[in-house]
Amino acid sequence: MKKSILLVCVFLVGSVLSASAQKRKIQRIDREVQERVFIPKGQWMTGGSVSYSEHEEDNLNFLVLKDFEALGYDFKVSPYVGYFFRDNMAAGLRFTYSRDYLDLGNADVDLGDLVISLKDLYYLEHKYSASGFLRTYMPIGRSKIFGLFNEVRLTYSYGEGKNSTGSGTEYDGTYQTTNSVQIGIAPGLTAFVTNFAAVEVSMDVMGFDFKWVEQQTNQIETGKRRTSSGNFKINLFSINIGMTFYL
């Protein structure tokens, strides 16, 4: 008798809950994110970014750094092209060339009882990169001018560099080649200044980097190095500003 009463109660509760759910008419919320077309299918995009910086120090003293003398520059150019195979979604290729140069004449690190001196240090590196990327766009609200995008990249890089220290009989020179593969994510903000041109700001947020380095010192000694790393933080020094044209 008790079991029959318990089964009847369970049935009645289930019936009440079912009727309540049907009364509320629970429906999936449509946020209309995919229905707003920011950049339509069939568009081509092309653009690039260029950056250059140089520095020169002559007898500079800063904290523990004394008699610092150096000259150097960094140059980077990165063109790219892409095609929108769906609304708000594009795939493309990016090519990058960078050149880094440093000529350190002198640098003394004064730690009180210990003074570390560096002299006649020279460094030069050329790097070539090719990337495949997938980019998705989303408008900010109902705006047709401002939008957000996220870019996923797969990059292969090859670099050649040389560095040397000392002079005369104390000269040491090293030549090295670098191969690396990187998977990264770069979100950004775009703003159209005309119907066919936009200014973009992006930042590298996270990624995985695998690098292989081979060295030869004084054309005799050889060395190798392999590293792998993961980056899961915002790098404020990796902000990229560029211009993109939509055709």
Side-chain angles (χ1 to χ4, degrees), residues 136-229:
T136 56
Y137 284 82
M138 182 179 68
I140 298 178
R142 297 185 179 275
S143 175
K144 295 183 178 180
I145 298 177
F146 298 99
L148 302 173
F149 67 85
N150 185 47
E151 184 174 302
V152 180
R153 303 173 184 170
L154 175 61
T155 304
Y156 167 75
S157 301
Y158 173 78
E160 294 182 349
K162 58 182 179 179
N163 60 80
S164 64
T165 57
S167 61
T169 57
E170 298 181 355
Y171 176 85
D172 284 323
T174 300
Y175 171 80
Q176 71 177 27
T177 59
T178 304
N179 292 272
S180 63
V181 177
Q182 184 182 57
I183 303 173
I185 297 177
L189 171 68
T190 184
F192 279 85
V193 292
T194 70
N195 289 333
F196 306 100
V199 177
E200 294 183 350
V201 179
S202 63
M203 180 183 299
D204 296 335
V205 172
M206 62 180 295
F208 297 93
D209 189 29
F210 308 90
K211 182 181 294 184
W212 301 266
V213 179
E214 295 184 357
Q215 293 182 334
Q216 186 178 46
T217 302
N218 296 334
Q219 299 183 355
I220 299 176
E221 301 176 358
T222 60
K224 294 182 179 180
R225 177 167 58 94
R226 182 178 63 86
T227 61
S228 58
S229 61

